[in-house]
Amino acid sequence: MTLTLLYVIYLIAITAEAMSGAIMGMRRGMDLFGISLLGTVTALGGGTARDVLLGHYPVGWIAHPEYLSFTIGAAIVTAFIARQMHHLRKLFLIVDGLGLVAFTVIGCDVAMGMEAHPSIVVLAGVITGIFGGLLRDILCNEVPMVLRRELYATVALFTGVLYVSLLWLGIDIQIASLAALVSGFLLRMLAIRFGWRLPQYDSENIRGLD
Amino acid sequence: MTLTLLYVIYLIAITAEAMSGAIMGMRRGMDLFGISLLGTVTALGGGTARDVLLGHYPVGWIAHPEYLSFTIGAAIVTAFIARQMHHLRKLFLIVDGLGLVAFTVIGCDVAMGMEAHPSIVVLAGVITGIFGGLLRDILCNEVPMVLRRELYATVALFTGVLYVSLLWLGIDIQIASLAALVSGFLLRMLAIRFGWRLPQYDSENIRGLD
Amino acid sequence: MTLTLLYVIYLIAITAEAMSGAIMGMRRGMDLFGISLLGTVTALGGGTARDVLLGHYPVGWIAHPEYLSFTIGAAIVTAFIARQMHHLRKLFLIVDGLGLVAFTVIGCDVAMGMEAHPSIVVLAGVITGIFGGLLRDILCNEVPMVLRRELYATVALFTGVLYVSLLWLGIDIQIASLAALVSGFLLRMLAIRFGWRLPQYDSENIRGLD
């Protein structure tokens, strides 16, 4: 049951991520092809980075090309309705938060299936959760937001650590993944609501080493 | 016969792409090493990205290290004749167009050899065609031109779809690849001549979702 | 004996590289998570790029998750002592130089273990030596310094060529690796001391091809 739920959340999430990527591409003056590619990279880049780093072939969207119709379709729809989409901003943040925790749990599952070390399992979850946004920002010539912003990457880390810990304690995998999804999602919503963030650094006072 | 023709076009194309990468590196104040690396990434980055994503090992230039002598040689020659090279601009655009369609057809062939889904075959062709330029622009700290410019990525997509469709219709592979090469190349030349491009977006009017 | 020495140098070097990455992240306003990730990418990105390109799985830090405690630990420590670290600038340059040549020799060894062509062995060494810094600069939205600065990449190339040549001449691997380490390190120190660099190009006078 949880697997089906995860899968549905996953499809909704890649659609939402593709839309966020497409909007960012439109704001950089990209054409329809660029928007589709940027949307796809945003949605599927995390899972792709995880699979390439783990040597887990075939990569997700090569085994399931139907994912590409979701992301490309979402990007093209976005090109037509983008002017209206800021009305959906709150809905988007909710779906994006759901996607973040779903990506993380799915990433942990892939690494566990390869019998990786627990720390690698958590990291595979985090990479799945955040690398899509990271690649999107690199393509848009930005210092990646996930490295700077409120508890985004930290939510992925929290979700992964909680999930792996619950499994290690012998909790049933369905309950563990549900608990991780719900807790991670709540943390993300609270972080947005109250503007929580990790400490950042006063860059003026720090001299480089080169 | 077509295979040999493809191979010759490929060698000419990686030479030309390496030169374009080297020139861009020189304009960013890179040294001789940086120019060689940027030229090589521009020329071989598309095939490398395709091979890594498909899990198609060994990667092209590792199986054929002689490709590296072409790209590094081309970059070093460029360092000495760059001031004269803008006279070759038209020739370069023609060779670049040939390379784009040759890379695409070669990329499709690799994915077909792995019995990938037709949509993945097309995408492998597109990735082979455009990722070299995309990686070059990332290394030069630019929003990639292939995501913004006139029908560049679209030509790769057109070439790949035409090639896969002709094969699906049962056309002989030599005829199919020649037809895709010629049609894709003509489309690219027409796009340059008449400044065709996909619709871009008025970035001022679009609000982000974050 | 050399192997143990190489291993100790490697651990010291990834710690130093992680610190350099962390400092650069702090100067870009990253949070603690971003600093840890940037430090880790700087330290382990070269070996990761090499392993993915060679298809050499599992990737280093997946086989040895303990490397991650070094890089993440170093990044977190850096976050607390960064204001004092410029006093360590000279020590850092020495450790960074040691790391560069150690990464290169280790990278050559990995490719030789896969029976790669000698030019690929050298290139695997160079990639291991420089790609961490290159990825760090891409994440920080800079044109990579290793493509522009004094003999950094060139030291990796020199070290790799010397190492492979000595082995080809039949020299014992322990002596060959020690000779390559020492010579490469001296070249780097001399390059820093006297500001040696490869010729760069007067970017104003060069017109692009697009």
Side-chain angles (χ1 to χ4, degrees):
Chain A
M1 188 225 58
T2 320
L3 254 186
T4 314
L5 179 65
L6 251 188
Y7 183 69
V8 171
I9 295 179
Y10 179 75
L11 292 183
I12 296 175
I14 61 173
T15 305
E17 296 303 326
M19 288 180 151
S20 93
I23 287 211
M24 200 147 160
M26 294 172 78
R27 300 177 78 195
R28 291 291 178 295
M30 290 184 187
D31 63 21
L32 201 58
F33 182 95
I35 290 169
S36 302
L37 190 126
L38 194 66
T40 300
V41 167
T42 308
L44 304 177
T48 303
R50 175 204 64 218
D51 286 344
V52 167
L53 290 172
L54 291 176
H56 177 256
Y57 290 105
V59 164
W61 48 270
I62 290 177
H64 300 277
E66 68 272 19
Y67 294 169
L68 297 171
S69 22
F70 279 82
T71 61
I72 295 172
I76 292 175
V77 167
T78 303
F80 289 98
I81 65 165
R83 267 170 201 77
Q84 279 70 51
M85 279 181 69
H86 62 270
H87 296 305
L88 305 172
R89 193 176 166 276
K90 277 192 186 155
L91 177 62
F92 173 79
L93 281 175
I94 292 171
V95 175
D96 178 64
L98 268 178
L100 175 62
V101 294
F103 285 1
T104 303
V105 168
I106 290 169
C108 291
D109 283 341
V110 169
M112 271 191 297
M114 300 179 73
E115 314 206 334
H117 185 273
S119 65
I120 300 299
V121 170
V122 171
L123 199 57
V126 172
I127 289 171
T128 312
I130 70 168
F131 261 61
L134 195 133
L135 292 170
R136 177 198 62 204
D137 291 351
I138 289 176
L139 283 171
C140 288
N141 205 12
E142 303 267 353
V143 176
M145 263 193 292
V146 293
L147 305 179
R148 295 182 290 148
R149 226 176 25 170
E150 82 270 2
L151 302 188
Y152 199 86
T154 310
V155 167
L157 187 61
F158 168 82
T159 307
V161 169
L162 180 62
Y163 184 44
V164 169
S165 306
L166 290 176
L167 290 176
W168 184 79
L169 290 170
I171 307 283
D172 176 76
I173 191 164
Q174 300 230 351
I175 295 171
S177 62
L178 253 182
L181 285 171
V182 171
S183 313
F185 179 68
L186 285 178
L187 176 59
R188 174 73 183 137
M189 291 299 112
L190 290 169
I192 292 174
R193 175 68 188 77
F194 297 106
W196 290 344
R197 42 172 64 218
L198 290 182
Q200 276 170 306
Y201 298 93
D202 180 3
S203 49
E204 299 301 307
N205 289 328
I206 296 156
R207 286 192 239 165
L209 294 174
D210 326 284
Chain B
M1 190 225 57
T2 319
L3 253 185
T4 315
L5 178 66
L6 252 188
Y7 183 68
V8 171
I9 295 179
Y10 179 75
L11 291 184
I12 296 175
I14 61 173
T15 305
E17 296 303 325
M19 288 181 150
S20 93
I23 287 209
M24 201 146 159
M26 294 172 77
R27 301 175 78 193
R28 290 291 178 297
M30 291 185 186
D31 63 22
L32 201 57
F33 182 94
I35 290 169
S36 303
L37 190 125
L38 193 67
T40 300
V41 167
T42 308
L44 303 178
T48 303
R50 175 204 63 218
D51 286 344
V52 167
L53 290 172
L54 291 175
H56 177 256
Y57 289 105
V59 164
W61 49 268
I62 291 177
H64 300 278
E66 69 271 18
Y67 294 168
L68 297 170
S69 20
F70 279 83
T71 60
I72 295 172
I76 292 175
V77 167
T78 303
F80 289 97
I81 64 165
R83 268 172 200 75
Q84 280 68 51
M85 278 181 72
H86 62 270
H87 296 305
L88 304 173
R89 194 178 166 275
K90 277 193 186 155
L91 178 62
F92 173 78
L93 282 175
I94 291 170
V95 175
D96 178 64
L98 269 178
L100 175 63
V101 293
F103 285 0
T104 303
V105 168
I106 290 168
C108 291
D109 283 342
V110 169
M112 271 191 297
M114 300 178 74
E115 315 207 334
H117 185 273
S119 64
I120 299 301
V121 171
V122 171
L123 198 58
V126 172
I127 289 171
T128 312
I130 71 169
F131 261 60
L134 196 134
L135 292 170
R136 177 197 63 203
D137 292 350
I138 290 176
L139 283 171
C140 288
N141 205 12
E142 305 267 352
V143 176
M145 264 193 291
V146 293
L147 305 179
R148 295 182 289 147
R149 226 176 24 169
E150 81 272 4
L151 301 187
Y152 198 86
T154 310
V155 167
L157 187 61
F158 169 81
T159 306
V161 168
L162 180 62
Y163 184 44
V164 169
S165 305
L166 290 176
L167 291 176
W168 185 79
L169 290 170
I171 308 283
D172 175 77
I173 191 165
Q174 300 228 350
I175 296 171
S177 63
L178 253 182
L181 285 171
V182 171
S183 314
F185 179 68
L186 285 178
L187 177 61
R188 175 73 183 135
M189 290 300 111
L190 290 169
I192 292 174
R193 175 68 188 78
F194 297 105
W196 291 344
R197 42 171 66 219
L198 290 182
Q200 276 171 306
Y201 298 93
D202 180 3
S203 50
E204 298 302 307
N205 289 328
I206 296 156
R207 284 193 239 166
L209 294 174
D210 325 284
Chain C
M1 188 226 59
T2 320
L3 253 185
T4 315
L5 179 66
L6 251 187
Y7 183 69
V8 171
I9 295 179
Y10 179 75
L11 291 183
I12 297 174
I14 61 173
T15 305
E17 297 302 326
M19 288 181 150
S20 93
I23 287 210
M24 201 147 159
M26 293 172 79
R27 301 176 77 194
R28 292 291 179 295
M30 291 183 186
D31 63 21
L32 201 57
F33 182 94
I35 289 169
S36 302
L37 190 125
L38 194 66
T40 300
V41 167
T42 308
L44 304 178
T48 304
R50 175 204 63 219
D51 286 344
V52 167
L53 290 173
L54 291 175
H56 177 255
Y57 290 105
V59 165
W61 49 268
I62 290 178
H64 300 278
E66 68 271 19
Y67 294 168
L68 297 170
S69 22
F70 280 82
T71 61
I72 295 172
I76 292 174
V77 167
T78 303
F80 289 98
I81 65 165
R83 268 171 200 74
Q84 280 68 51
M85 278 181 70
H86 63 270
H87 297 305
L88 304 173
R89 194 179 166 274
K90 277 194 186 154
L91 178 63
F92 173 78
L93 281 175
I94 291 169
V95 175
D96 178 64
L98 269 179
L100 175 62
V101 294
F103 285 0
T104 303
V105 168
I106 290 168
C108 292
D109 283 342
V110 169
M112 271 191 297
M114 300 178 74
E115 314 207 334
H117 185 272
S119 64
I120 299 301
V121 170
V122 171
L123 198 57
V126 172
I127 289 171
T128 312
I130 70 168
F131 261 60
L134 196 134
L135 293 171
R136 176 198 63 205
D137 292 350
I138 289 176
L139 283 171
C140 287
N141 205 12
E142 303 268 353
V143 176
M145 263 193 291
V146 292
L147 305 180
R148 295 182 290 147
R149 226 175 25 169
E150 81 272 3
L151 302 187
Y152 199 86
T154 310
V155 167
L157 186 62
F158 168 82
T159 307
V161 169
L162 181 62
Y163 184 43
V164 169
S165 306
L166 290 175
L167 291 177
W168 184 80
L169 290 170
I171 309 284
D172 176 77
I173 191 164
Q174 301 229 351
I175 296 171
S177 62
L178 253 182
L181 285 170
V182 172
S183 314
F185 178 68
L186 285 178
L187 177 60
R188 174 75 182 135
M189 290 300 111
L190 290 169
I192 292 174
R193 176 70 188 75
F194 297 105
W196 291 344
R197 44 171 64 219
L198 290 182
Q200 277 171 305
Y201 298 93
D202 180 1
S203 49
E204 298 303 307
N205 289 328
I206 295 157
R207 285 192 239 165
L209 293 174
D210 325 284

